[in-house]
Amino acid sequence: MSDVSHYMREAIQLSREGMQGGRGGPFGCVIVKEGAIVGRGNNRVTSTCDPTAHAEVVAIRDACQGLKTFDLAGASIYTSCEPCPMCLAAIYWARLDVIYYANTRVDAAEIGFDDDLIYREVSLAIEHRSKTMKPLLREEAIGVFQEWMTKEDRVRY
């Protein structure tokens, strides 16, 4: 792994720069495809008032915009910390091949970034989660899904 450690060092540097620059928490990330960094990000939650602006999500958006695609298959992600559940889901949606991480989620919890509740909640049945979830107007919404299935110019993802 020593040949790719420079990518992780870049992610760690982005985490430091973002933190020191007041952009958000101490998290950084790069996305690499074919030996080149195609996406960069650091945590920007507090500076953008966007709870989804985690380093991995920012880097995925950067890579997708730069490559003009929503499919990052063939690319790897280097993140300064084990991804939270939201970021992990985004990584799967983006189809990244490999996840390299430095700090663990336990390390993050020790400095106040504890995602354990979310990890536990995701595995629970809807009726057992701490956030109330109520179905509403499915009969109306299902029609849009049916239209999607017959839409001839839909882009599958």
Side-chain angles (χ1 to χ4, degrees), residues 1-42:
M1 182 151 63
S2 61
D3 60 328
V4 296
S5 60
H6 61 282
Y7 298 127
M8 184 59 76
R9 285 189 181 98
E10 177 69 16
I12 294 167
Q13 182 58 31
L14 286 169
S15 73
R16 179 175 284 113
E17 289 172 6
M19 175 192 63
Q20 291 176 345
R23 289 187 287 281
F27 304 95
C29 181
V30 297
I31 296 175
V32 176
K33 188 167 186 174
E34 298 175 0
I37 295 176
V38 296
R40 287 180 169 79
N42 52 33

Side-chain angles (χ1 to χ4, degrees), residues 103-136:
N103 295 315
T104 68
R105 68 193 213 198
V106 173
D107 299 329
E110 288 176 358
I111 64 164
F113 295 91
D114 191 353
D115 300 320
D116 196 50
L117 169 70
I118 302 169
Y119 279 106
R120 287 192 318 267
E121 288 277 315
V122 168
S123 66
L124 295 175
I126 289 174
E127 63 272 11
H128 294 110
R129 293 180 182 164
S130 64
K131 299 287 183 192
T132 302
M133 294 180 66
K134 297 180 180 184
L136 183 65

